[in-house]
Amino acid sequence: MATWDETELGDETCSNCGAVYSVTYKSLPLKDKDDFRCSCGQPMRSWKETGMYMYTLISEGE
Ligand SMILES: [Zn+2]
């Protein structure tokens, strides 16, 4: 099973509701086009590159 590099990018806070996410970047062998929105609907990030961003909820917003 292949493993790909993962990089911790630290925390990001939603500017709309204040939810805090831990962000990890993961390299992929193929180009990924995706985006992530907070559970409140606020766009947090969009990307189109050979990697993806994974958001883990740490603290819920208001
Ligand atoms: Zn939010």
Short mmCIF file of all heavy atoms in Angstrom, two decimals:
data_model
loop_
_atom_site.label_atom_id
_atom_site.label_comp_id
_atom_site.label_asym_id
_atom_site.label_seq_id
_atom_site.Cartn_x
_atom_site.Cartn_y
_atom_site.Cartn_z
N MET A 1 0.85 -1.19 0.00
CA MET A 1 0.00 0.00 0.00
C MET A 1 0.88 1.24 0.00
O MET A 1 1.77 1.39 0.82
CB MET A 1 -0.89 -0.03 1.24
CG MET A 1 -1.96 1.05 1.23
SD MET A 1 -3.16 0.74 2.55
CE MET A 1 -3.02 2.27 3.44
N ALA A 2 0.62 2.09 -0.95
CA ALA A 2 1.43 3.30 -1.06
C ALA A 2 1.04 4.32 0.00
O ALA A 2 -0.12 4.42 0.38
CB ALA A 2 1.27 3.91 -2.44
N THR A 3 2.02 5.02 0.47
CA THR A 3 1.73 6.14 1.36
C THR A 3 2.25 7.41 0.72
O THR A 3 3.29 7.41 0.07
CB THR A 3 2.40 5.96 2.74
OG1 THR A 3 3.79 5.73 2.55
CG2 THR A 3 1.80 4.80 3.48
N TRP A 4 1.50 8.46 0.88
CA TRP A 4 1.89 9.74 0.30
C TRP A 4 2.17 10.74 1.40
O TRP A 4 1.63 10.64 2.50
CB TRP A 4 0.77 10.23 -0.63
CG TRP A 4 0.63 9.32 -1.82
CD1 TRP A 4 1.59 9.04 -2.74
CD2 TRP A 4 -0.50 8.56 -2.19
NE1 TRP A 4 1.10 8.15 -3.66
CE2 TRP A 4 -0.18 7.84 -3.36
CE3 TRP A 4 -1.77 8.42 -1.64
CZ2 TRP A 4 -1.08 7.00 -3.99
CZ3 TRP A 4 -2.67 7.57 -2.28
CH2 TRP A 4 -2.33 6.88 -3.44
N ASP A 5 3.00 11.67 1.05
CA ASP A 5 3.40 12.67 2.04
C ASP A 5 2.21 13.49 2.54
O ASP A 5 1.38 13.92 1.76
CB ASP A 5 4.42 13.63 1.44
CG ASP A 5 5.75 12.93 1.22
OD1 ASP A 5 5.96 11.87 1.84
OD2 ASP A 5 6.55 13.46 0.45
N GLU A 6 2.20 13.69 3.82
CA GLU A 6 1.20 14.57 4.43
C GLU A 6 1.92 15.69 5.16
O GLU A 6 2.93 15.46 5.82
CB GLU A 6 0.33 13.80 5.42
CG GLU A 6 -0.65 12.86 4.77
CD GLU A 6 -1.60 12.21 5.77
OE1 GLU A 6 -1.73 12.73 6.90
OE2 GLU A 6 -2.21 11.19 5.42
N THR A 7 1.40 16.87 5.03
CA THR A 7 2.00 18.02 5.68
C THR A 7 0.96 18.72 6.54
O THR A 7 -0.12 19.06 6.07
CB THR A 7 2.52 19.03 4.63
OG1 THR A 7 3.36 18.34 3.72
CG2 THR A 7 3.30 20.15 5.30
N GLU A 8 1.31 18.93 7.80
CA GLU A 8 0.43 19.68 8.68
C GLU A 8 0.53 21.16 8.34
O GLU A 8 1.62 21.72 8.31
CB GLU A 8 0.84 19.47 10.15
CG GLU A 8 0.55 18.09 10.68
CD GLU A 8 -0.88 17.93 11.14
OE1 GLU A 8 -1.58 18.94 11.26
OE2 GLU A 8 -1.30 16.78 11.36
N LEU A 9 -0.62 21.77 8.07
CA LEU A 9 -0.61 23.20 7.74
C LEU A 9 -1.08 24.06 8.90
O LEU A 9 -1.13 25.28 8.78
CB LEU A 9 -1.50 23.45 6.52
CG LEU A 9 -1.06 22.77 5.22
CD1 LEU A 9 -2.00 23.16 4.10
CD2 LEU A 9 0.36 23.15 4.86
N GLY A 10 -1.42 23.44 9.98
CA GLY A 10 -1.88 24.21 11.14
C GLY A 10 -3.39 24.40 11.12
O GLY A 10 -4.10 23.71 10.40
N ASP A 11 -3.84 25.34 11.90
CA ASP A 11 -5.27 25.55 12.06
C ASP A 11 -5.78 26.68 11.16
O ASP A 11 -5.05 27.62 10.87
CB ASP A 11 -5.59 25.92 13.51
CG ASP A 11 -5.24 24.79 14.46
OD1 ASP A 11 -4.95 23.68 13.97
OD2 ASP A 11 -5.23 25.02 15.68
N GLU A 12 -7.03 26.55 10.74
CA GLU A 12 -7.69 27.64 10.03
C GLU A 12 -9.03 27.89 10.68
O GLU A 12 -9.72 26.96 11.07
CB GLU A 12 -7.90 27.28 8.55
CG GLU A 12 -6.70 27.60 7.69
CD GLU A 12 -6.99 27.36 6.22
OE1 GLU A 12 -8.13 27.55 5.78
OE2 GLU A 12 -6.04 26.97 5.52
N THR A 13 -9.38 29.13 10.76
CA THR A 13 -10.64 29.52 11.39
C THR A 13 -11.59 30.07 10.33
O THR A 13 -11.20 30.88 9.50
CB THR A 13 -10.39 30.61 12.45
OG1 THR A 13 -9.43 30.13 13.39
CG2 THR A 13 -11.67 30.94 13.19
N CYS A 14 -12.82 29.60 10.37
CA CYS A 14 -13.84 30.11 9.45
C CYS A 14 -14.12 31.57 9.78
O CYS A 14 -14.39 31.91 10.93
CB CYS A 14 -15.11 29.27 9.58
SG CYS A 14 -16.48 29.93 8.61
N SER A 15 -14.07 32.42 8.76
CA SER A 15 -14.28 33.85 9.00
C SER A 15 -15.75 34.17 9.23
O SER A 15 -16.09 35.26 9.66
CB SER A 15 -13.74 34.66 7.82
OG SER A 15 -14.39 34.27 6.63
N ASN A 16 -16.61 33.21 8.92
CA ASN A 16 -18.05 33.45 9.07
C ASN A 16 -18.58 33.02 10.43
O ASN A 16 -19.22 33.78 11.13
CB ASN A 16 -18.81 32.72 7.95
CG ASN A 16 -20.30 33.02 7.99
OD1 ASN A 16 -20.71 34.17 8.09
ND2 ASN A 16 -21.11 31.99 7.94
N CYS A 17 -18.30 31.77 10.82
CA CYS A 17 -18.89 31.25 12.06
C CYS A 17 -17.87 31.01 13.17
O CYS A 17 -18.24 30.74 14.30
CB CYS A 17 -19.65 29.95 11.78
SG CYS A 17 -18.59 28.53 11.45
N GLY A 18 -16.58 31.06 12.84
CA GLY A 18 -15.56 30.91 13.87
C GLY A 18 -15.15 29.47 14.16
O GLY A 18 -14.39 29.22 15.08
N ALA A 19 -15.66 28.51 13.38
CA ALA A 19 -15.25 27.12 13.56
C ALA A 19 -13.76 26.99 13.25
O ALA A 19 -13.23 27.66 12.35
CB ALA A 19 -16.05 26.21 12.65
N VAL A 20 -13.06 26.14 14.02
CA VAL A 20 -11.64 25.96 13.83
C VAL A 20 -11.37 24.57 13.26
O VAL A 20 -11.89 23.58 13.75
CB VAL A 20 -10.87 26.13 15.16
CG1 VAL A 20 -9.37 25.96 14.94
CG2 VAL A 20 -11.17 27.49 15.77
N TYR A 21 -10.58 24.54 12.19
CA TYR A 21 -10.22 23.28 11.55
C TYR A 21 -8.72 23.08 11.56
O TYR A 21 -7.96 24.04 11.40
CB TYR A 21 -10.67 23.29 10.08
CG TYR A 21 -12.17 23.28 9.89
CD1 TYR A 21 -12.89 24.46 9.89
CD2 TYR A 21 -12.85 22.09 9.72
CE1 TYR A 21 -14.27 24.46 9.72
CE2 TYR A 21 -14.23 22.08 9.55
CZ TYR A 21 -14.93 23.26 9.54
OH TYR A 21 -16.29 23.25 9.37
N SER A 22 -8.30 21.85 11.75
CA SER A 22 -6.92 21.47 11.55
C SER A 22 -6.77 21.06 10.09
O SER A 22 -7.53 20.25 9.58
CB SER A 22 -6.56 20.30 12.48
OG SER A 22 -5.30 19.78 12.13
N VAL A 23 -5.78 21.61 9.39
CA VAL A 23 -5.64 21.39 7.96
C VAL A 23 -4.38 20.57 7.68
O VAL A 23 -3.31 20.87 8.17
CB VAL A 23 -5.54 22.73 7.20
CG1 VAL A 23 -5.58 22.48 5.69
CG2 VAL A 23 -6.66 23.67 7.62
N THR A 24 -4.57 19.51 6.89
CA THR A 24 -3.46 18.67 6.46
C THR A 24 -3.44 18.63 4.94
O THR A 24 -4.48 18.43 4.31
CB THR A 24 -3.60 17.24 7.02
OG1 THR A 24 -3.67 17.31 8.43
CG2 THR A 24 -2.41 16.38 6.61
N TYR A 25 -2.28 18.84 4.36
CA TYR A 25 -2.13 18.74 2.91
C TYR A 25 -1.55 17.37 2.58
O TYR A 25 -0.57 16.94 3.19
CB TYR A 25 -1.19 19.84 2.40
CG TYR A 25 -0.96 19.76 0.92
CD1 TYR A 25 -1.93 20.22 0.04
CD2 TYR A 25 0.21 19.22 0.40
CE1 TYR A 25 -1.73 20.15 -1.33
CE2 TYR A 25 0.43 19.15 -0.96
CZ TYR A 25 -0.55 19.61 -1.82
OH TYR A 25 -0.35 19.54 -3.17
N LYS A 26 -2.16 16.71 1.62
CA LYS A 26 -1.70 15.37 1.26
C LYS A 26 -1.37 15.34 -0.23
O LYS A 26 -2.21 15.69 -1.06
CB LYS A 26 -2.81 14.37 1.57
CG LYS A 26 -2.43 12.93 1.28
CD LYS A 26 -3.49 12.00 1.85
CE LYS A 26 -3.10 10.57 1.61
NZ LYS A 26 -3.56 9.66 2.64
N SER A 27 -0.15 14.92 -0.56
CA SER A 27 0.25 14.81 -1.96
C SER A 27 -0.44 13.62 -2.61
O SER A 27 -0.59 12.56 -1.99
CB SER A 27 1.77 14.61 -2.05
OG SER A 27 2.43 15.72 -1.53
N LEU A 28 -0.85 13.79 -3.85
CA LEU A 28 -1.49 12.71 -4.59
C LEU A 28 -0.75 12.51 -5.91
O LEU A 28 -0.14 13.44 -6.42
CB LEU A 28 -2.95 13.08 -4.89
CG LEU A 28 -3.91 13.25 -3.72
CD1 LEU A 28 -5.25 13.76 -4.20
CD2 LEU A 28 -4.09 11.95 -2.98
N PRO A 29 -0.85 11.33 -6.48
CA PRO A 29 -0.21 11.07 -7.77
C PRO A 29 -0.97 11.68 -8.94
O PRO A 29 -0.45 11.76 -10.04
CB PRO A 29 -0.20 9.54 -7.86
CG PRO A 29 -1.32 9.10 -7.00
CD PRO A 29 -1.44 10.12 -5.90
N LEU A 30 -2.19 12.10 -8.69
CA LEU A 30 -3.01 12.69 -9.75
C LEU A 30 -3.50 14.05 -9.31
O LEU A 30 -3.58 14.35 -8.12
CB LEU A 30 -4.23 11.80 -10.03
CG LEU A 30 -3.95 10.41 -10.55
CD1 LEU A 30 -5.23 9.58 -10.52
CD2 LEU A 30 -3.39 10.46 -11.96
N LYS A 31 -3.88 14.84 -10.30
CA LYS A 31 -4.41 16.15 -9.99
C LYS A 31 -5.80 16.04 -9.38
O LYS A 31 -6.62 15.26 -9.84
CB LYS A 31 -4.48 16.99 -11.28
CG LYS A 31 -4.08 18.43 -11.04
CD LYS A 31 -3.86 19.15 -12.36
CE LYS A 31 -2.66 20.08 -12.20
NZ LYS A 31 -2.45 20.93 -13.37
N ASP A 32 -5.99 16.81 -8.34
CA ASP A 32 -7.27 16.81 -7.65
C ASP A 32 -7.88 18.20 -7.79
O ASP A 32 -7.19 19.20 -7.67
CB ASP A 32 -7.05 16.48 -6.17
CG ASP A 32 -8.37 16.36 -5.41
OD1 ASP A 32 -9.23 15.58 -5.85
OD2 ASP A 32 -8.53 17.03 -4.39
N LYS A 33 -9.16 18.22 -8.08
CA LYS A 33 -9.85 19.51 -8.14
C LYS A 33 -11.03 19.41 -7.20
O LYS A 33 -11.92 18.58 -7.38
CB LYS A 33 -10.32 19.81 -9.56
CG LYS A 33 -11.05 21.14 -9.69
CD LYS A 33 -11.44 21.40 -11.14
CE LYS A 33 -12.12 22.74 -11.31
NZ LYS A 33 -13.35 22.85 -10.49
N ASP A 34 -10.98 20.20 -6.17
CA ASP A 34 -12.02 20.09 -5.15
C ASP A 34 -12.04 21.38 -4.34
O ASP A 34 -11.23 22.27 -4.57
CB ASP A 34 -11.70 18.89 -4.25
CG ASP A 34 -12.96 18.30 -3.61
OD1 ASP A 34 -14.02 18.95 -3.67
OD2 ASP A 34 -12.87 17.21 -3.04
N ASP A 35 -12.95 21.44 -3.44
CA ASP A 35 -12.97 22.57 -2.54
C ASP A 35 -13.52 22.12 -1.20
O ASP A 35 -14.03 21.01 -1.07
CB ASP A 35 -13.76 23.75 -3.11
CG ASP A 35 -15.19 23.37 -3.46
OD1 ASP A 35 -15.78 22.50 -2.78
OD2 ASP A 35 -15.72 23.93 -4.43
N PHE A 36 -13.34 22.97 -0.22
CA PHE A 36 -13.88 22.66 1.10
C PHE A 36 -14.68 23.84 1.59
O PHE A 36 -14.23 24.98 1.52
CB PHE A 36 -12.77 22.33 2.09
CG PHE A 36 -13.31 22.03 3.46
CD1 PHE A 36 -13.83 20.79 3.74
CD2 PHE A 36 -13.35 23.02 4.44
CE1 PHE A 36 -14.40 20.52 4.99
CE2 PHE A 36 -13.91 22.77 5.69
CZ PHE A 36 -14.43 21.51 5.96
N ARG A 37 -15.86 23.54 2.09
CA ARG A 37 -16.69 24.57 2.71
C ARG A 37 -16.92 24.19 4.15
O ARG A 37 -17.12 23.03 4.48
CB ARG A 37 -18.06 24.65 2.01
CG ARG A 37 -18.00 25.36 0.68
CD ARG A 37 -19.32 25.22 -0.05
NE ARG A 37 -19.20 25.73 -1.40
CZ ARG A 37 -19.50 26.99 -1.75
NH1 ARG A 37 -19.97 27.82 -0.86
NH2 ARG A 37 -19.34 27.38 -2.98
N CYS A 38 -16.94 25.20 4.96
CA CYS A 38 -17.30 25.02 6.36
C CYS A 38 -18.74 24.50 6.43
O CYS A 38 -19.52 24.67 5.49
CB CYS A 38 -17.17 26.36 7.07
SG CYS A 38 -17.58 26.31 8.83
N SER A 39 -19.10 23.89 7.56
CA SER A 39 -20.47 23.40 7.72
C SER A 39 -21.49 24.53 7.66
O SER A 39 -22.67 24.29 7.41
CB SER A 39 -20.60 22.64 9.05
OG SER A 39 -20.19 23.45 10.12
N CYS A 40 -21.05 25.77 7.84
CA CYS A 40 -21.97 26.91 7.74
C CYS A 40 -22.12 27.36 6.29
O CYS A 40 -22.93 28.23 5.99
CB CYS A 40 -21.47 28.07 8.59
SG CYS A 40 -20.04 28.92 7.92
N GLY A 41 -21.33 26.80 5.37
CA GLY A 41 -21.44 27.15 3.97
C GLY A 41 -20.35 28.08 3.46
O GLY A 41 -20.24 28.33 2.27
N GLN A 42 -19.54 28.60 4.36
CA GLN A 42 -18.46 29.50 3.99
C GLN A 42 -17.37 28.73 3.24
O GLN A 42 -16.87 27.73 3.73
CB GLN A 42 -17.87 30.13 5.27
CG GLN A 42 -16.64 30.97 5.06
CD GLN A 42 -16.98 32.38 4.58
OE1 GLN A 42 -18.13 32.74 4.46
NE2 GLN A 42 -15.96 33.15 4.28
N PRO A 43 -16.98 29.18 2.02
CA PRO A 43 -15.88 28.52 1.32
C PRO A 43 -14.57 28.74 2.07
O PRO A 43 -14.23 29.87 2.41
CB PRO A 43 -15.83 29.22 -0.04
CG PRO A 43 -17.11 30.00 -0.15
CD PRO A 43 -17.55 30.30 1.25
N MET A 44 -13.86 27.67 2.35
CA MET A 44 -12.60 27.77 3.09
C MET A 44 -11.40 27.72 2.16
O MET A 44 -10.40 28.38 2.35
CB MET A 44 -12.48 26.63 4.11
CG MET A 44 -13.57 26.62 5.16
SD MET A 44 -13.38 27.89 6.42
CE MET A 44 -12.01 27.26 7.39
N ARG A 45 -11.50 26.86 1.13
CA ARG A 45 -10.36 26.72 0.21
C ARG A 45 -10.82 25.97 -1.03
O ARG A 45 -11.70 25.13 -0.95
CB ARG A 45 -9.24 25.90 0.88
CG ARG A 45 -7.96 25.85 0.07
CD ARG A 45 -6.98 24.87 0.68
NE ARG A 45 -6.43 25.30 1.97
CZ ARG A 45 -5.30 26.00 2.10
NH1 ARG A 45 -4.60 26.32 1.05
NH2 ARG A 45 -4.88 26.34 3.29
N SER A 46 -10.25 26.31 -2.19
CA SER A 46 -10.45 25.50 -3.38
C SER A 46 -9.08 25.25 -3.99
O SER A 46 -8.17 26.06 -3.82
CB SER A 46 -11.37 26.20 -4.37
OG SER A 46 -10.78 27.38 -4.85
N TRP A 47 -8.95 24.13 -4.64
CA TRP A 47 -7.63 23.77 -5.18
C TRP A 47 -7.76 22.95 -6.44
O TRP A 47 -8.80 22.36 -6.72
CB TRP A 47 -6.82 23.01 -4.15
CG TRP A 47 -7.43 21.70 -3.73
CD1 TRP A 47 -7.23 20.48 -4.32
CD2 TRP A 47 -8.34 21.47 -2.65
NE1 TRP A 47 -7.96 19.53 -3.66
CE2 TRP A 47 -8.64 20.10 -2.64
CE3 TRP A 47 -8.92 22.31 -1.68
CZ2 TRP A 47 -9.50 19.54 -1.70
CZ3 TRP A 47 -9.79 21.73 -0.74
CH2 TRP A 47 -10.06 20.37 -0.76
N LYS A 48 -6.67 22.95 -7.21
CA LYS A 48 -6.57 22.16 -8.43
C LYS A 48 -5.09 21.87 -8.61
O LYS A 48 -4.36 22.63 -9.23
CB LYS A 48 -7.11 22.96 -9.61
CG LYS A 48 -7.19 22.19 -10.91
CD LYS A 48 -7.80 23.07 -11.98
CE LYS A 48 -7.70 22.42 -13.35
NZ LYS A 48 -8.18 23.36 -14.38
N GLU A 49 -4.63 20.79 -7.99
CA GLU A 49 -3.21 20.48 -7.98
C GLU A 49 -3.02 19.01 -7.60
O GLU A 49 -4.00 18.32 -7.32
CB GLU A 49 -2.48 21.38 -7.00
CG GLU A 49 -3.06 21.34 -5.60
CD GLU A 49 -2.47 22.42 -4.71
OE1 GLU A 49 -1.37 22.20 -4.21
OE2 GLU A 49 -3.11 23.49 -4.54
N THR A 50 -1.79 18.56 -7.63
CA THR A 50 -1.53 17.15 -7.30
C THR A 50 -1.45 16.98 -5.79
O THR A 50 -0.42 16.65 -5.22
CB THR A 50 -0.21 16.68 -7.95
OG1 THR A 50 0.84 17.60 -7.59
CG2 THR A 50 -0.35 16.61 -9.45
N GLY A 51 -2.57 17.24 -5.19
CA GLY A 51 -2.65 17.08 -3.75
C GLY A 51 -4.04 17.47 -3.31
O GLY A 51 -4.84 17.97 -4.09
N MET A 52 -4.33 17.24 -2.05
CA MET A 52 -5.62 17.61 -1.53
C MET A 52 -5.47 18.15 -0.12
O MET A 52 -4.48 17.87 0.57
CB MET A 52 -6.58 16.42 -1.54
CG MET A 52 -6.16 15.28 -0.63
SD MET A 52 -7.33 13.91 -0.64
CE MET A 52 -8.71 14.65 0.25
N TYR A 53 -6.46 18.89 0.32
CA TYR A 53 -6.46 19.45 1.66
C TYR A 53 -7.53 18.75 2.47
O TYR A 53 -8.67 18.61 2.03
CB TYR A 53 -6.74 20.95 1.61
CG TYR A 53 -5.64 21.72 0.92
CD1 TYR A 53 -5.63 21.84 -0.46
CD2 TYR A 53 -4.60 22.28 1.65
CE1 TYR A 53 -4.61 22.53 -1.11
CE2 TYR A 53 -3.58 22.97 1.01
CZ TYR A 53 -3.59 23.09 -0.37
OH TYR A 53 -2.59 23.76 -1.00
N MET A 54 -7.13 18.32 3.64
CA MET A 54 -8.09 17.64 4.52
C MET A 54 -8.35 18.52 5.74
O MET A 54 -7.41 18.94 6.42
CB MET A 54 -7.52 16.28 4.95
CG MET A 54 -7.39 15.32 3.77
SD MET A 54 -6.73 13.71 4.27
CE MET A 54 -5.06 14.16 4.70
N TYR A 55 -9.61 18.75 6.00
CA TYR A 55 -10.01 19.61 7.12
C TYR A 55 -10.64 18.77 8.20
O TYR A 55 -11.57 18.01 7.95
CB TYR A 55 -11.03 20.65 6.63
CG TYR A 55 -10.39 21.81 5.90
CD1 TYR A 55 -9.85 21.64 4.64
CD2 TYR A 55 -10.33 23.06 6.50
CE1 TYR A 55 -9.26 22.70 3.97
CE2 TYR A 55 -9.74 24.14 5.84
CZ TYR A 55 -9.21 23.94 4.58
OH TYR A 55 -8.64 25.01 3.93
N THR A 56 -10.10 18.89 9.41
CA THR A 56 -10.65 18.19 10.56
C THR A 56 -11.19 19.22 11.54
O THR A 56 -10.45 20.11 11.97
CB THR A 56 -9.57 17.34 11.25
OG1 THR A 56 -9.00 16.45 10.29
CG2 THR A 56 -10.17 16.51 12.37
N LEU A 57 -12.45 19.10 11.87
CA LEU A 57 -13.07 20.06 12.77
C LEU A 57 -12.51 19.91 14.19
O LEU A 57 -12.50 18.83 14.76
CB LEU A 57 -14.59 19.85 12.80
CG LEU A 57 -15.39 20.84 13.62
CD1 LEU A 57 -15.27 22.26 13.05
CD2 LEU A 57 -16.84 20.42 13.68
N ILE A 58 -11.99 21.00 14.72
CA ILE A 58 -11.46 21.01 16.08
C ILE A 58 -12.47 21.62 17.03
O ILE A 58 -12.72 21.13 18.13
CB ILE A 58 -10.15 21.82 16.16
CG1 ILE A 58 -9.05 21.13 15.35
CG2 ILE A 58 -9.71 21.98 17.61
CD1 ILE A 58 -7.77 21.94 15.33
N SER A 59 -13.04 22.74 16.61
CA SER A 59 -13.93 23.49 17.49
C SER A 59 -15.07 24.06 16.66
O SER A 59 -14.84 24.71 15.65
CB SER A 59 -13.12 24.61 18.14
OG SER A 59 -13.98 25.53 18.75
N GLU A 60 -16.29 23.82 17.08
CA GLU A 60 -17.44 24.32 16.33
C GLU A 60 -17.60 25.82 16.52
O GLU A 60 -17.23 26.37 17.54
CB GLU A 60 -18.71 23.62 16.84
CG GLU A 60 -18.65 22.12 16.67
CD GLU A 60 -19.91 21.59 16.00
OE1 GLU A 60 -20.66 22.39 15.43
OE2 GLU A 60 -20.13 20.37 16.06
N GLY A 61 -18.15 26.45 15.49
CA GLY A 61 -18.39 27.88 15.57
C GLY A 61 -19.70 28.18 16.28
O GLY A 61 -20.34 27.31 16.85
N GLU A 62 -20.07 29.44 16.22
CA GLU A 62 -21.33 29.88 16.86
C GLU A 62 -22.53 29.38 16.08
O GLU A 62 -22.53 29.47 14.88
CB GLU A 62 -21.36 31.40 16.93
CG GLU A 62 -20.22 31.98 17.74
CD GLU A 62 -20.34 31.57 19.20
OE1 GLU A 62 -21.48 31.57 19.71
OE2 GLU A 62 -19.32 31.25 19.81
ZN ZN B 1 -18.20 28.41 9.22
#
